Amino acid sequence: MLTARQLYYLQTMSINPWVMRCAASSELITVVMDEKIHDARQNQLLYAMFRSIGVSNNRLDMIHHVSAEHLNHHIQKIHNKAL
């Protein structure tokens, strides 16, 4: 579970995470980005910002802005993998 502080920092960066709780009690945080980051340095900075608030890369599921139907399908696919 994300702490109140982690949620505060993510919301300050305009990131509203979705946290899926799995049977094994591990959490996957899905982040929907408005656009794809093509610059490797910007990508590294984004992951460093997540690590700085205690969210490791293996807990992140980054996807790009998509339709609601596609997002629903993606979440269902991830949920089925986690179970």
Side-chain angles (χ1 to χ4, degrees):
M1 189 74 162
L2 292 173
T3 65
R5 186 178 204 165
Q6 289 171 324
L7 285 173
Y8 169 77
Y9 286 128
L10 290 172
Q11 289 170 347
T12 300
M13 294 186 293
S14 297
I15 298 173
N16 293 312
W18 295 356
V19 179
M20 293 182 64
R21 292 183 191 96
C22 306
S25 74
S26 62
E27 296 171 343
L28 181 64
I29 301 167
T30 299
V31 177
V32 180
M33 303 293 291
D34 286 337
E35 58 186 61
K36 189 171 185 171
I37 298 175
H38 296 286
D39 186 331
R41 290 178 297 172
Q42 289 176 343
N43 207 22
Q44 288 174 346
L45 176 61
L46 180 64
Y47 281 104
M49 288 176 4
F50 277 108
R51 282 192 308 273
S52 73
I53 62 168
V55 178
S56 62
N57 293 358
N58 61 345
R59 290 178 57 202
L60 287 175
D61 175 31
M62 304 279 272
I63 61 173
H64 307 292
H65 185 71
V66 293
S67 68
E69 181 180 326
H70 185 266
L71 182 60
N72 234 358
H73 175 72
H74 178 80
I75 290 171
Q76 193 63 30
K77 185 174 72 173
I78 295 298
H79 180 68
N80 289 338
K81 279 184 181 178
L83 294 179

